[in-house]
Amino acid sequence: MDVDLNGIPHVFTLTPTAIVLSAPSASEPVPTTTTTTIEFSSIAFLTHTPTTNSLSVTYLSFADPSSPPDDAAVPLVHTLVLNPGTSASARLSDLLSSPQLSPLLLPSLPTPSASPASPRKLSVILNSSAGAGTAALYFSKVVEPFLVAAGVTFEKWDTEGVGHAGVLGGEIVRKAKASSMTVLLVGGDGTSHEFVNGVLQARGDGMVESSEVDIILLPLGTANAFYHHLFPPERGYDLASPNAKLHSLLAFIRGNDIAREGVTLAKNSILRPSPPSPSPSSFSPSPPIYTLVVTSFALHASILSTAESLRPTHPNLSRFKLAASLNASRWTSGTLSLPPSSSSTLLGRGTILVPYCGTCGSVRTDVRDCSVSG
């Protein structure tokens, strides 16, 4: 299909893995062809404007494609506007219906003359201290333009310290009037942990009614274990792609390929001795702590605790290796008990937005009980 790009004629071609734009040049002495290849794995979304029959392709790349990206890399956003012309409308329609392009196409936005539609709304919690400290930059350079292009309205809260994501989570569900809500968490595993506990604490205190929360994850922490559990390489997710951190967000933005994965939580209680008697019968449980990544005890818990104290001086994964070496020879006595799951009423439903693949499963939340003493 012939298209116009910045006033220059191009040939638009689809391959099994990419969009290819070719522009013949009459340069002397030998004519050449300039080719631009946009891999489907780097495309964020496509936007079709019927009134002008134009197609916008928004995709991402890294500043230096020859070097493997690091965790702090913020991708560059590119948008190409292709104009096939009205005579090619049928051909463009066929292309947009193809298996390669249709999952990438944004839902049509309402025109000014159309009847008003309810805009999609989003709550955003941003932890600028997570990981390498690039969350605020990533949001302004990548996420916010995407939300605007998709016609998504949002309200953003910035965390102000340890535990604040949980406070904000409780406030958001208390203020929400709808029975369901969608929250974008921009941070790491700690941000997700705090948010979930804040929401469940608000529900457990009876301050809000049980409701369904859809969580969008933008993994800008250090390890991002929860995100990589949901989007592992063995399921076809390329960790080196500029879209690697955006699978959950793009599922929401595109709106046509969403599936919801239920979140399994562990309900934990830490038993501490009640002075003055340290006997087992005098131990009292802490308020429940819910974990969605891993429940740790003994050596692993000590490593994580030490690693957190090293965050200011070692903001990357190296702090976990150093913490492991510092704790390898330390011994602490303790007891771990894993009682059967209780029949207590669930405090609500939580789901993670993921790209749809196959048949969408049921939405559910499992709560399993465990306690740690010592």
Side-chain angles (χ1 to χ4, degrees):
M1 179 179 68
D2 294 331
V3 298
D4 180 276
L5 173 61
N6 298 326
I8 302 174
H10 284 69
V11 177
F12 179 101
T13 307
L14 281 186
T15 73
T17 60
I19 292 175
V20 179
L21 298 170
S22 305
S25 172
S27 58
E28 297 293 342
V30 180
T32 59
T33 299
T34 302
T35 300
T36 301
T37 301
I38 307 172
E39 300 289 339
F40 293 136
S41 61
S42 69
I43 295 177
F45 50 82
L46 308 174
T47 307
H48 179 226
T49 306
T51 54
T52 58
N53 200 40
S54 62
L55 177 67
S56 297
V57 182
T58 300
Y59 66 100
L60 296 98
S61 70
F62 290 113
D64 185 1
S66 62
S67 301
D70 58 37
D71 288 337
V74 177
L76 305 174
V77 180
H78 312 269
T79 298
L80 301 181
V81 180
L82 310 177
N83 294 289
T86 55
S87 60
S89 59
R91 174 60 177 150
L92 179 60
S93 178
D94 290 341
L95 289 173
L96 294 178
S97 301
S98 66
Q100 298 102 315
L101 298 188
S102 59
L104 306 174
L105 188 63
L106 283 188
S108 298
L109 298 180
T111 61
S113 60
S115 58
S118 298
R120 290 191 293 169
K121 297 180 180 180
L122 192 64
S123 297
V124 179
I125 294 178
L126 188 148
N127 180 2
S128 59
S129 299
T134 60
L137 179 64
Y138 201 108
F139 184 85
S140 64
K141 295 292 186 181
V142 179
V143 178
E144 189 169 0
F146 283 8
L147 297 177
V148 172
V152 177
T153 61
F154 64 91
E155 187 173 2
K156 181 170 72 72
W157 290 267
D158 295 276
T159 62
E160 299 176 357
V162 176
H164 195 214
V167 175
L168 293 174
E171 292 178 357
I172 289 172
V173 296
R174 279 192 288 268
K175 292 178 180 178
K177 297 182 179 180
S179 59
S180 62
M181 67 205 73
T182 303
V183 180
L184 168 60
L185 300 179
V186 186
D189 293 324
T191 308
S192 301
H193 170 79
E194 290 180 7
F195 172 78
V196 167
N197 277 272
V199 170
L200 293 180
Q201 181 178 349
R203 289 172 172 167
D205 292 342
M207 303 179 72
V208 296
E209 295 181 1
S210 177
S211 59
E212 185 174 306
V213 179
D214 281 342
I215 300 173
I216 303 170
L217 294 177
L218 188 63
L220 294 175
T222 305
N224 304 305
F226 187 37
Y227 182 84
H228 292 308
H229 165 72
L230 295 168
F231 304 99
E234 55 268 26
R235 287 173 57 181
Y237 297 105
D238 183 3
L239 298 180
S241 165
N243 285 355
K245 299 180 186 297
L246 295 167
H247 297 306
S248 185
L249 177 64
L250 292 179
F252 170 77
I253 287 178
R254 293 169 186 164
N256 57 2
D257 59 354
I258 289 178
R260 288 168 168 82
E261 281 202 15
V263 178
T264 300
L265 304 176
K267 182 180 179 183
N268 309 274
S269 294
I270 299 177
L271 305 180
R272 303 186 186 280
S274 301
S277 172
S279 64
S281 60
S282 66
F283 278 40
S284 58
S286 68
I289 301 171
Y290 297 90
T291 53
L292 72 168
V293 179
V294 63
T295 297
S296 302
F297 73 105
L299 176 61
H300 192 247
S302 298
I303 291 173
L304 295 180
S305 178
T306 302
E308 188 60 29
S309 68
L310 295 170
R311 181 185 292 270
T313 55
H314 297 73
N316 53 29
L317 287 171
S318 65
R319 71 173 182 267
F320 293 100
K321 296 179 181 179
L322 177 57
S325 66
L326 294 174
N327 284 278
S329 59
R330 296 177 182 173
W331 291 88
T332 302
S333 61
T335 302
L336 173 71
S337 60
L338 299 172
S341 177
S342 69
S343 58
S344 59
T345 303
L346 298 182
L347 297 178
R349 283 180 165 181
T351 58
I352 305 297
L353 297 188
V354 299
Y356 177 80
C357 180
T359 304
C360 178
S362 59
V363 179
R364 63 182 179 82
T365 300
D366 295 335
V367 178
R368 299 178 183 176
D369 294 315
C370 62
S371 62
V372 179
S373 62

